């Protein structure tokens, strides 16, 4: 089979599209013919050899734990009724950046009818994270919600949910195209946070109303600016640092302004009912409650996908799909 292999930690171009042996499912495992593989932000850091998340893999390595596809083989003790099933998993390896991947049968979810492979692989992690974040945020129709990285995978889902709830939504994203995409999602205010006075633009657009909740997936300077827009009594909730620059409010400032800070990602890593939230996320996409957004790259172009993700030049979830056979 063909797979994307990392032999040496470093830049995106170190990801090589190669021929490798087909994997064989062991006891309790199935093999998937991969139709879509999710690319996660943390994988770009791991590829560089940065120890800021999960333990670094031994080399050579094939990344990719988020996989959707068709079961084409089963291991010992696995019911053959799985053969031919359309499934998705968030525990497919690593090994998902490939034409074939192995996963534990206990991690599989059957893809709901009408939901495509790309949408399913988007929701199994990005959607699941969003479900947990929304539970923590506990938004109401009276909230004024500022969402950073609002054109990203989680951000787009949050904007949709908050608008359906009836909250006032401020979506912040980088560049005119992403800002337009956020506006099309229905955000009341869409702002380009690459512009120098984007905070002033938000204040003017709100006409004196304060932001009550910030849902921040960027942190760094943009997170600091978003935090500054909170009204007294507001909540600043982080869900990751796409900027790779941490921002944490000072305890004294939180106290002085009557604000609350929550590291949602840490809470989810500690105690999320992941399996249940995966079902919720897939169901929400299948019934149209939430519409996942994704940007696809051919498997052979995984290096370009990593580079685009690092440059924040993508919209929605980044997904690898099989190369067209010609």
């Amino acid at each position: 089979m063909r797979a994307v292999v990392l032999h040496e930690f470093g830049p995106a171009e170190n990801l090589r599209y190669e021929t490798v042996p087909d994997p064989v499912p062991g006891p309790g495992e199935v093999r998937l013919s991969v139709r879509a593989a999710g690319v996660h932000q943390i994988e770009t850091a791991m590829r560089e050899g940065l120890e800021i998340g999960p333990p670094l893999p031994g080399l050579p390595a094939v990344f990719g734990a988020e996989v959707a596809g068709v079961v084409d083989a089963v291991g010992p003790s696995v019911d053959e009724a799985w053969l031919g099933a359309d499934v998705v998993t968030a525990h497919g390896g690593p090994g998902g950046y490939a034409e074939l991947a192995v996963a534990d049968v206990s991690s599989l979810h059957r893809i709901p009818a009408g939901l495509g492979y790309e949408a399913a692989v988007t929701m199994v992690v990005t959607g699941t994270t969003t479900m947990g974040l929304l539970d923590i945020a506990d938004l109401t129709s009276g909230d004024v919600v500022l969402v950073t990285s609002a054109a990203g995978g989680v951000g787009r889902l949050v904007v949709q949910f908050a608008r359906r709830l009836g909250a006032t939504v401020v979506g912040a994203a980088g560049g005119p195209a992403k800002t337009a995409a956020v506006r099309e999602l229905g955000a009341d205010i869409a702002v380009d946070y690459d512009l120098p006075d984007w905070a002033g633009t938000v204040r003017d657009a709100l006409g004196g109303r304060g932001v009550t909740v910030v849902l921040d997936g960027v942190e760094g300077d943009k997170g600091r600016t978003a935090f500054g827009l909170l009204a007294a009594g507001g909540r600043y909730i982080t869900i990751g640092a796409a900027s790779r620059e941490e921002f944490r409010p000072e305890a004294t400032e939180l106290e002085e302004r009557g604000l609350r800070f929550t590291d949602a990602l840490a809470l989810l890593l500690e105690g999320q009912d992941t399996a249940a939230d995966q079902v919720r996320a897939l169901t929400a996409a299948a019934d149209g409650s939430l519409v996942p957004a994704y940007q696809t790259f051919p498997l052979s172009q995984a290096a370009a996908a990593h580079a685009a993700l690092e440059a924040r030049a993508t919209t929605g979830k980044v997904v690898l799909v099989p190369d067209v056979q010609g």
Side-chain angles (χ1 to χ4, degrees):
M1 70 169 185
R2 301 287 278 174
V4 176
V5 184
L6 181 73
H7 293 276
E8 182 180 0
F9 295 118
E13 54 264 33
N14 283 12
L15 294 170
R16 304 293 177 82
Y17 187 55
E18 301 177 351
T19 299
V20 300
D22 292 355
V24 177
E29 294 180 334
V30 302
R31 188 176 69 187
L32 306 184
S33 176
V34 178
R35 299 292 192 269
V39 178
H40 198 283
Q41 183 77 40
I42 195 65
E43 291 170 346
T44 66
M46 295 171 67
R47 186 211 69 233
E48 291 185 34
L50 301 178
E51 297 182 357
I52 61 174
L56 295 178
L59 299 179
V62 178
F63 288 120
E66 308 163 30
V67 181
V70 181
V71 177
D72 80 341
V74 299
S77 77
V78 176
D79 190 342
E80 290 190 357
W82 282 104
L83 287 170
D86 291 329
V87 299
V88 63
T89 177
H91 304 285
Y97 290 16
E99 293 176 332
L100 298 169
V102 167
D104 194 297
V105 70
S106 65
S107 74
L108 301 180
H109 294 279
R110 291 183 183 270
I111 298 176
L115 195 64
Y117 298 113
E118 296 91 345
V121 86
T122 295
M123 294 303 287
V124 77
V125 170
T126 299
T128 299
T129 299
T130 303
M131 291 296 174
L133 171 62
L134 291 171
D135 287 344
I136 291 168
D138 194 22
L139 303 177
T140 71
S141 59
D143 277 316
V144 177
V145 185
L146 169 57
V147 184
T148 66
S149 193
V154 171
R156 291 177 69 101
L157 296 175
V158 170
V159 169
Q160 293 175 51
F161 178 89
R163 282 295 297 133
R164 187 172 292 112
L165 186 66
T168 299
V169 182
V170 181
K178 290 187 177 184
T179 306
V182 172
R183 190 174 294 110
E184 290 173 5
L185 285 171
D188 298 279
I189 301 165
V191 62
D192 183 350
Y193 59 14
D194 286 342
L195 298 178
D197 190 29
W198 69 272
T201 301
V202 172
R203 291 191 183 95
D204 291 345
L206 287 174
R209 296 183 69 191
V211 173
T212 61
V213 183
V214 170
L215 299 178
D216 180 26
V218 181
E219 297 191 28
D221 290 340
K222 291 180 172 67
R224 166 76 251 188
T225 302
F227 174 75
L229 287 165
L230 278 169
R235 293 172 288 149
Y236 176 69
I237 304 171
T238 63
I239 193 62
S243 67
R244 296 193 186 174
E245 296 176 359
E246 186 178 83
F247 166 67
R248 291 292 181 268
E250 295 291 340
T252 53
E253 186 173 8
L254 290 171
E255 184 176 355
E256 289 170 358
R257 295 173 57 194
L259 304 177
R260 286 177 286 166
F261 164 66
T262 303
D263 184 341
L265 188 59
L267 291 179
L268 294 177
L269 290 173
E270 289 175 4
Q272 184 179 21
D273 186 347
T274 304
D277 282 350
Q278 286 172 343
V279 173
R280 289 171 61 199
L282 292 167
T283 300
D287 67 19
S289 300
L290 295 175
V291 180
Y294 50 85
Q295 182 172 344
T296 62
F297 290 78
L299 178 63
S300 62
Q301 299 302 308
H306 268 232
L309 186 58
E310 289 177 295
R312 301 187 59 76
T314 59
T315 300
K317 177 74 174 179
V318 175
V319 176
L320 301 176
V321 296
D323 284 68
V324 176
Q325 303 299 318

